[in-house]
Amino acid sequence: MFCLKVDQEIEWQLFQLHHSEELFNLVDRNRQHLREWLPWVDNMASPVQYHSIISMWLKQFADNNGFNAGIRYRGLLAGSIGFHQIDWHNRQTSVGYYLAKGYEGKGIMTRSVQAMVNHAFFDLKLNRVEIRCGVDNLKSRAIPERLGFKQEGMIRDGEYLYNQYHDLAVYGMLARHW
């Protein structure tokens, strides 16, 4: 099983089928917090629904086309992080992440994304990492800004979220600038 220690408090653990209930419970306890920026939250009504999603993530990992991992903080599931897909021809990927409300303000996501970018550039030898965040999602935008990503633009009406469109800020980092 893919597991990577970020530091003394944080590790990533590739989601497996037996994590379905734990993942569902994390999302369910944080439903109001997460649904503000994640369009799929309302659709997750049972742990069983994660079986097909986790199977898809495991295939993605096996195909060397990204992954989705749980962020464990002091052993407890605190959120999720992953590479959406890897474009091997252009040597680039994008990072997605979320964190349960009770874990905010501890530097967990900044350290996790920093480790993701290190993995992308040093282990996978990619050239570019992108992060897209809702323009008004200031906590999420603070991560790439804190890590020195360059804001490259905005995608107007870039995501349809709960019956309305919202704009996405696009951040990029190149290997040579990392």
Side-chain angles (χ1 to χ4, degrees), residues 65-104:
N65 190 25
F67 67 91
N68 202 318
I71 299 171
R72 294 208 172 267
Y73 177 73
R74 298 181 178 172
L76 300 174
L77 184 63
S80 177
I81 195 164
F83 292 139
H84 291 123
Q85 290 182 326
I86 299 174
D87 175 349
W88 287 105
H89 177 74
N90 292 303
R91 309 209 59 81
Q92 62 186 0
T93 191
S94 62
V95 177
Y97 50 82
Y98 66 85
L99 198 60
K101 188 156 184 65
Y103 293 98
E104 293 179 334

Side-chain angles (χ1 to χ4, degrees), residues 81 83 93-97 109-121 127-133 140-153 169-175 177-178:
I81 195 164
F83 292 139
T93 191
S94 62
V95 177
Y97 50 82
M109 196 54 76
T110 300
R111 290 181 278 166
S112 294
V113 172
Q114 182 176 28
M116 285 290 281
V117 177
N118 284 338
H119 180 61
F121 293 147
N127 181 58
R128 176 182 162 76
V129 173
E130 183 176 286
I131 297 175
R132 295 181 179 191
C133 309
S140 189
R141 290 182 66 180
I143 304 301
E145 290 171 2
R146 197 174 293 126
L147 293 173
F149 277 64
K150 180 178 179 177
Q151 185 175 346
E152 298 175 329
V170 179
Y171 293 90
M173 176 60 72
L174 302 178
H177 295 143
W178 188 248

